[in-house]
């Protein structure tokens, strides 16, 4: 028995993608309203990194859909992206308290990467 019925899986993916994209567009738009202080600037500057880490997390959830050669390449790319964007966020919050949501995002993305190594 398939987890995704053939007739509904395509539509569900499109709706999910549209909702996800809509949420991130709203997040990006709202970042312009952040205060013009150190924390606000750090959060605003982190928006592309946050979106990238979230995208990597979602992609890692679907590695099993790739051919083995593509899966290995995807894991390598995920490792590079996680390293680059996590370090960028951490550098912006150096000397200040990073919001818990950002810490959790980084931890969750790293955990998804580690899990991908075990599968």
């Amino acid at each position: 028995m398939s987890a995704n019925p053939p007739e509904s899986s395509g539509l569900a993916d499109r709706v999910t993608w549209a909702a996800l994209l809509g949420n991130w567009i709203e997040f990006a738009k709202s970042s312009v309203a952040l205060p013009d202080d150190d924390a606000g600037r750090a959060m605003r500057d982190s928006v592309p990194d946050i979106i990238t880490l979230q995208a990597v997390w979602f992609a890692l959830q679907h590695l099993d859909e790739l051919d083995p050669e593509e899966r290995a390449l995807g894991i390598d790319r995920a490792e590079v992206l996680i390293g680059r964007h996590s370090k960028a966020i951490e550098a912006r919050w150096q000397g200040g308290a990073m919001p818990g949501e950002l810490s959790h995002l980084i931890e969750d993305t790293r955990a998804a990467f580690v899990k991908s190594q075990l599968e």
Side-chain angles (χ1 to χ4, degrees):
M1 191 158 115
S2 171
N4 293 319
E7 292 87 24
S8 66
S9 64
L11 177 59
D13 289 343
R14 284 193 301 272
V15 171
T16 301
W17 175 249
L20 178 65
L21 185 59
N23 284 338
W24 284 117
I25 288 171
E26 287 304 312
F27 175 73
K29 286 180 183 176
S30 70
S31 70
V32 299
L34 291 167
D36 192 22
D37 58 11
D38 289 342
R41 283 187 295 277
M43 183 62 83
R44 189 172 28 258
D45 293 346
S46 295
V47 167
D49 301 301
I50 293 166
I51 293 171
T52 299
L53 287 176
Q54 189 70 64
V56 169
W57 183 90
F58 277 104
L60 287 169
Q61 307 309 305
H62 296 277
L63 280 176
D64 61 331
E65 298 171 19
L66 300 175
D67 291 332
E69 300 83 27
E70 287 292 318
R71 191 174 308 129
L73 180 59
I75 290 171
D76 288 346
R77 287 181 176 164
E79 183 175 27
V80 170
L81 290 170
I82 292 168
R84 179 182 307 144
H85 294 282
S86 296
K87 287 177 186 173
I89 291 171
E90 291 164 346
R92 284 187 199 101
W93 293 95
Q94 193 172 20
M98 181 187 300
E101 294 86 357
L102 290 182
S103 297
H104 292 296
L105 173 61
I106 292 169
E107 291 168 13
D108 290 348
T109 307
R110 288 177 176 158
F113 176 76
V114 169
K115 182 180 175 192
S116 74
Q117 301 294 297
L118 303 174
E119 296 176 344

